[in-house]
Amino acid sequence: MSEALKIFAFLPRRADLSEQAFQDHWRHPHATWGYYVRALRRYAQGHRLPCVHLGPEQIRFDGASESWVDNAEAARTVMDDPAYQEYVGPDEARFIDLDHLTYLIAREEVLDIRSDGADLGVPESLWSRFRAPVSIKVLQMVPGKAIGWPGGGV
């Protein structure tokens, strides 16, 4: 199993910013600077969509980022990177409510559903670890204040 990790950051916007101002700033310049953090292998943003069916507890975050790193050691080096130190880190307070920023670290396990007429009544016959259309995530919440990450997340 790969040691590659994903770091999810659940971002609440600062109260003095509109949703549009938050999203615009997060896309650029923040994500543009993040591109230069060497330990990040991939980065994706998920911007919350408006929905009348969500209660207040479900809309406390305005978006979620997903950062891929090679392993736990690489995750620990992100905040030491010069691009993070000079640009990304200081920028977070400009648009994120850091007191409510939350992180989640995940290791993804990829499985595959067989399509060769397997017997549905025999679960062991349905999975193959050699093909990969189904993604299973093993998630662990980590309190950030314990290790000094911004906002007390991871």
PDB file of all heavy atoms in Angstrom, residues 35-53:
ATOM      1  N   TYR A  35       1.101  26.508  -5.840  1.00  0.00           N
ATOM      2  CA  TYR A  35       1.687  25.709  -6.917  1.00  0.00           C
ATOM      3  C   TYR A  35       3.193  25.556  -6.744  1.00  0.00           C
ATOM      4  O   TYR A  35       3.774  24.572  -7.170  1.00  0.00           O
ATOM      5  CB  TYR A  35       1.355  26.371  -8.255  1.00  0.00           C
ATOM      6  CG  TYR A  35       1.937  25.666  -9.456  1.00  0.00           C
ATOM      7  CD1 TYR A  35       1.328  24.526  -9.966  1.00  0.00           C
ATOM      8  CD2 TYR A  35       3.085  26.135 -10.084  1.00  0.00           C
ATOM      9  CE1 TYR A  35       1.854  23.871 -11.061  1.00  0.00           C
ATOM     10  CE2 TYR A  35       3.624  25.484 -11.179  1.00  0.00           C
ATOM     11  CZ  TYR A  35       2.996  24.354 -11.663  1.00  0.00           C
ATOM     12  OH  TYR A  35       3.531  23.707 -12.746  1.00  0.00           O
ATOM     13  N   TYR A  36       3.825  26.514  -6.091  1.00  0.00           N
ATOM     14  CA  TYR A  36       5.278  26.517  -5.943  1.00  0.00           C
ATOM     15  C   TYR A  36       5.778  25.845  -4.656  1.00  0.00           C
ATOM     16  O   TYR A  36       6.977  25.829  -4.409  1.00  0.00           O
ATOM     17  CB  TYR A  36       5.807  27.948  -6.045  1.00  0.00           C
ATOM     18  CG  TYR A  36       5.563  28.494  -7.440  1.00  0.00           C
ATOM     19  CD1 TYR A  36       4.441  29.262  -7.726  1.00  0.00           C
ATOM     20  CD2 TYR A  36       6.441  28.188  -8.473  1.00  0.00           C
ATOM     21  CE1 TYR A  36       4.204  29.723  -9.005  1.00  0.00           C
ATOM     22  CE2 TYR A  36       6.211  28.649  -9.763  1.00  0.00           C
ATOM     23  CZ  TYR A  36       5.086  29.412 -10.017  1.00  0.00           C
ATOM     24  OH  TYR A  36       4.854  29.849 -11.293  1.00  0.00           O
ATOM     25  N   VAL A  37       4.875  25.290  -3.860  1.00  0.00           N
ATOM     26  CA  VAL A  37       5.280  24.538  -2.667  1.00  0.00           C
ATOM     27  C   VAL A  37       5.717  23.154  -3.147  1.00  0.00           C
ATOM     28  O   VAL A  37       4.913  22.368  -3.648  1.00  0.00           O
ATOM     29  CB  VAL A  37       4.138  24.447  -1.637  1.00  0.00           C
ATOM     30  CG1 VAL A  37       4.550  23.576  -0.453  1.00  0.00           C
ATOM     31  CG2 VAL A  37       3.736  25.845  -1.170  1.00  0.00           C
ATOM     32  N   ARG A  38       6.999  22.866  -3.018  1.00  0.00           N
ATOM     33  CA  ARG A  38       7.599  21.679  -3.651  1.00  0.00           C
ATOM     34  C   ARG A  38       7.035  20.345  -3.176  1.00  0.00           C
ATOM     35  O   ARG A  38       6.971  19.392  -3.946  1.00  0.00           O
ATOM     36  CB  ARG A  38       9.109  21.702  -3.461  1.00  0.00           C
ATOM     37  CG  ARG A  38       9.788  22.797  -4.252  1.00  0.00           C
ATOM     38  CD  ARG A  38      11.276  22.768  -4.002  1.00  0.00           C
ATOM     39  NE  ARG A  38      11.556  23.052  -2.594  1.00  0.00           N
ATOM     40  CZ  ARG A  38      12.191  24.128  -2.163  1.00  0.00           C
ATOM     41  NH1 ARG A  38      12.642  25.006  -3.018  1.00  0.00           N
ATOM     42  NH2 ARG A  38      12.410  24.303  -0.885  1.00  0.00           N
ATOM     43  N   ALA A  39       6.632  20.217  -1.925  1.00  0.00           N
ATOM     44  CA  ALA A  39       6.162  18.924  -1.417  1.00  0.00           C
ATOM     45  C   ALA A  39       4.771  18.555  -1.944  1.00  0.00           C
ATOM     46  O   ALA A  39       4.377  17.393  -1.879  1.00  0.00           O
ATOM     47  CB  ALA A  39       6.146  18.923   0.110  1.00  0.00           C
ATOM     48  N   LEU A  40       4.036  19.525  -2.479  1.00  0.00           N
ATOM     49  CA  LEU A  40       2.691  19.241  -2.974  1.00  0.00           C
ATOM     50  C   LEU A  40       2.777  18.614  -4.360  1.00  0.00           C
ATOM     51  O   LEU A  40       3.321  19.209  -5.286  1.00  0.00           O
ATOM     52  CB  LEU A  40       1.843  20.514  -3.022  1.00  0.00           C
ATOM     53  CG  LEU A  40       1.600  21.203  -1.683  1.00  0.00           C
ATOM     54  CD1 LEU A  40       0.720  22.426  -1.878  1.00  0.00           C
ATOM     55  CD2 LEU A  40       0.988  20.250  -0.673  1.00  0.00           C
ATOM     56  N   ARG A  41       2.227  17.411  -4.504  1.00  0.00           N
ATOM     57  CA  ARG A  41       2.239  16.710  -5.789  1.00  0.00           C
ATOM     58  C   ARG A  41       1.035  17.083  -6.647  1.00  0.00           C
ATOM     59  O   ARG A  41       1.083  17.027  -7.859  1.00  0.00           O
ATOM     60  CB  ARG A  41       2.262  15.192  -5.575  1.00  0.00           C
ATOM     61  CG  ARG A  41       3.514  14.727  -4.903  1.00  0.00           C
ATOM     62  CD  ARG A  41       4.709  14.934  -5.823  1.00  0.00           C
ATOM     63  NE  ARG A  41       5.951  14.721  -5.109  1.00  0.00           N
ATOM     64  CZ  ARG A  41       6.912  15.624  -5.034  1.00  0.00           C
ATOM     65  NH1 ARG A  41       6.784  16.784  -5.611  1.00  0.00           N
ATOM     66  NH2 ARG A  41       8.010  15.367  -4.375  1.00  0.00           N
ATOM     67  N   ARG A  42      -0.054  17.417  -5.978  1.00  0.00           N
ATOM     68  CA  ARG A  42      -1.274  17.811  -6.676  1.00  0.00           C
ATOM     69  C   ARG A  42      -2.115  18.619  -5.699  1.00  0.00           C
ATOM     70  O   ARG A  42      -2.014  18.436  -4.488  1.00  0.00           O
ATOM     71  CB  ARG A  42      -2.036  16.569  -7.133  1.00  0.00           C
ATOM     72  CG  ARG A  42      -3.224  16.882  -7.996  1.00  0.00           C
ATOM     73  CD  ARG A  42      -3.804  15.633  -8.617  1.00  0.00           C
ATOM     74  NE  ARG A  42      -4.989  16.028  -9.360  1.00  0.00           N
ATOM     75  CZ  ARG A  42      -5.989  15.234  -9.643  1.00  0.00           C
ATOM     76  NH1 ARG A  42      -5.945  13.971  -9.267  1.00  0.00           N
ATOM     77  NH2 ARG A  42      -7.030  15.669 -10.299  1.00  0.00           N
ATOM     78  N   TYR A  43      -2.941  19.494  -6.245  1.00  0.00           N
ATOM     79  CA  TYR A  43      -3.772  20.348  -5.402  1.00  0.00           C
ATOM     80  C   TYR A  43      -5.106  20.556  -6.114  1.00  0.00           C
ATOM     81  O   TYR A  43      -5.138  20.796  -7.324  1.00  0.00           O
ATOM     82  CB  TYR A  43      -3.074  21.695  -5.183  1.00  0.00           C
ATOM     83  CG  TYR A  43      -3.876  22.700  -4.392  1.00  0.00           C
ATOM     84  CD1 TYR A  43      -3.965  22.607  -3.016  1.00  0.00           C
ATOM     85  CD2 TYR A  43      -4.530  23.741  -5.023  1.00  0.00           C
ATOM     86  CE1 TYR A  43      -4.687  23.532  -2.282  1.00  0.00           C
ATOM     87  CE2 TYR A  43      -5.255  24.681  -4.305  1.00  0.00           C
ATOM     88  CZ  TYR A  43      -5.333  24.565  -2.934  1.00  0.00           C
ATOM     89  OH  TYR A  43      -6.050  25.476  -2.207  1.00  0.00           O
ATOM     90  N   ALA A  44      -6.197  20.430  -5.373  1.00  0.00           N
ATOM     91  CA  ALA A  44      -7.525  20.669  -5.943  1.00  0.00           C
ATOM     92  C   ALA A  44      -8.345  21.478  -4.951  1.00  0.00           C
ATOM     93  O   ALA A  44      -8.178  21.351  -3.737  1.00  0.00           O
ATOM     94  CB  ALA A  44      -8.218  19.345  -6.238  1.00  0.00           C
ATOM     95  N   GLN A  45      -9.221  22.305  -5.489  1.00  0.00           N
ATOM     96  CA  GLN A  45     -10.133  23.091  -4.657  1.00  0.00           C
ATOM     97  C   GLN A  45     -11.564  22.642  -4.922  1.00  0.00           C
ATOM     98  O   GLN A  45     -11.937  22.380  -6.063  1.00  0.00           O
ATOM     99  CB  GLN A  45     -10.031  24.580  -4.995  1.00  0.00           C
ATOM    100  CG  GLN A  45      -8.729  25.207  -4.632  1.00  0.00           C
ATOM    101  CD  GLN A  45      -8.694  26.691  -4.981  1.00  0.00           C
ATOM    102  OE1 GLN A  45      -9.526  27.199  -5.739  1.00  0.00           O
ATOM    103  NE2 GLN A  45      -7.723  27.385  -4.428  1.00  0.00           N
ATOM    104  N   GLY A  46     -12.344  22.585  -3.856  1.00  0.00           N
ATOM    105  CA  GLY A  46     -13.777  22.325  -3.968  1.00  0.00           C
ATOM    106  C   GLY A  46     -14.506  23.496  -3.349  1.00  0.00           C
ATOM    107  O   GLY A  46     -14.424  23.721  -2.146  1.00  0.00           O
ATOM    108  N   HIS A  47     -15.196  24.273  -4.187  1.00  0.00           N
ATOM    109  CA  HIS A  47     -15.927  25.450  -3.709  1.00  0.00           C
ATOM    110  C   HIS A  47     -17.369  25.039  -3.402  1.00  0.00           C
ATOM    111  O   HIS A  47     -18.039  24.424  -4.228  1.00  0.00           O
ATOM    112  CB  HIS A  47     -15.895  26.552  -4.765  1.00  0.00           C
ATOM    113  CG  HIS A  47     -14.518  27.071  -5.006  1.00  0.00           C
ATOM    114  ND1 HIS A  47     -14.101  28.289  -4.534  1.00  0.00           N
ATOM    115  CD2 HIS A  47     -13.448  26.530  -5.633  1.00  0.00           C
ATOM    116  CE1 HIS A  47     -12.839  28.488  -4.875  1.00  0.00           C
ATOM    117  NE2 HIS A  47     -12.425  27.429  -5.553  1.00  0.00           N
ATOM    118  N   ARG A  48     -17.833  25.391  -2.210  1.00  0.00           N
ATOM    119  CA  ARG A  48     -19.197  25.024  -1.794  1.00  0.00           C
ATOM    120  C   ARG A  48     -20.213  25.683  -2.715  1.00  0.00           C
ATOM    121  O   ARG A  48     -20.113  26.859  -3.052  1.00  0.00           O
ATOM    122  CB  ARG A  48     -19.456  25.457  -0.347  1.00  0.00           C
ATOM    123  CG  ARG A  48     -20.847  25.060   0.141  1.00  0.00           C
ATOM    124  CD  ARG A  48     -21.055  25.314   1.620  1.00  0.00           C
ATOM    125  NE  ARG A  48     -20.654  26.609   2.079  1.00  0.00           N
ATOM    126  CZ  ARG A  48     -21.432  27.708   2.039  1.00  0.00           C
ATOM    127  NH1 ARG A  48     -22.645  27.652   1.553  1.00  0.00           N
ATOM    128  NH2 ARG A  48     -20.989  28.853   2.500  1.00  0.00           N
ATOM    129  N   LEU A  49     -21.194  24.892  -3.104  1.00  0.00           N
ATOM    130  CA  LEU A  49     -22.277  25.395  -3.933  1.00  0.00           C
ATOM    131  C   LEU A  49     -23.451  25.778  -3.051  1.00  0.00           C
ATOM    132  O   LEU A  49     -23.711  25.114  -2.038  1.00  0.00           O
ATOM    133  CB  LEU A  49     -22.724  24.328  -4.934  1.00  0.00           C
ATOM    134  CG  LEU A  49     -21.659  23.878  -5.920  1.00  0.00           C
ATOM    135  CD1 LEU A  49     -22.164  22.691  -6.739  1.00  0.00           C
ATOM    136  CD2 LEU A  49     -21.238  25.022  -6.828  1.00  0.00           C
ATOM    137  N   PRO A  50     -24.177  26.816  -3.408  1.00  0.00           N
ATOM    138  CA  PRO A  50     -25.353  27.190  -2.612  1.00  0.00           C
ATOM    139  C   PRO A  50     -26.403  26.078  -2.672  1.00  0.00           C
ATOM    140  O   PRO A  50     -26.622  25.473  -3.717  1.00  0.00           O
ATOM    141  CB  PRO A  50     -25.882  28.453  -3.294  1.00  0.00           C
ATOM    142  CG  PRO A  50     -24.923  28.798  -4.369  1.00  0.00           C
ATOM    143  CD  PRO A  50     -23.965  27.673  -4.538  1.00  0.00           C
ATOM    144  N   CYS A  51     -27.041  25.819  -1.540  1.00  0.00           N
ATOM    145  CA  CYS A  51     -28.077  24.785  -1.482  1.00  0.00           C
ATOM    146  C   CYS A  51     -29.040  25.126  -0.346  1.00  0.00           C
ATOM    147  O   CYS A  51     -28.620  25.268   0.798  1.00  0.00           O
ATOM    148  CB  CYS A  51     -27.447  23.412  -1.249  1.00  0.00           C
ATOM    149  SG  CYS A  51     -28.667  22.094  -1.145  1.00  0.00           S
ATOM    150  N   VAL A  52     -30.309  25.224  -0.669  1.00  0.00           N
ATOM    151  CA  VAL A  52     -31.307  25.589   0.340  1.00  0.00           C
ATOM    152  C   VAL A  52     -31.583  24.448   1.319  1.00  0.00           C
ATOM    153  O   VAL A  52     -32.207  24.659   2.352  1.00  0.00           O
ATOM    154  CB  VAL A  52     -32.636  26.036  -0.321  1.00  0.00           C
ATOM    155  CG1 VAL A  52     -32.424  27.275  -1.163  1.00  0.00           C
ATOM    156  CG2 VAL A  52     -33.242  24.915  -1.144  1.00  0.00           C
ATOM    157  N   HIS A  53     -31.123  23.246   1.026  1.00  0.00           N
ATOM    158  CA  HIS A  53     -31.404  22.087   1.871  1.00  0.00           C
ATOM    159  C   HIS A  53     -30.368  21.870   2.971  1.00  0.00           C
ATOM    160  O   HIS A  53     -30.505  20.951   3.765  1.00  0.00           O
ATOM    161  CB  HIS A  53     -31.506  20.830   1.007  1.00  0.00           C
ATOM    162  CG  HIS A  53     -32.547  20.934  -0.052  1.00  0.00           C
ATOM    163  ND1 HIS A  53     -33.903  20.986   0.217  1.00  0.00           N
ATOM    164  CD2 HIS A  53     -32.436  21.054  -1.389  1.00  0.00           C
ATOM    165  CE1 HIS A  53     -34.576  21.119  -0.898  1.00  0.00           C
ATOM    166  NE2 HIS A  53     -33.709  21.149  -1.889  1.00  0.00           N
TER     167      HIS A  53
END
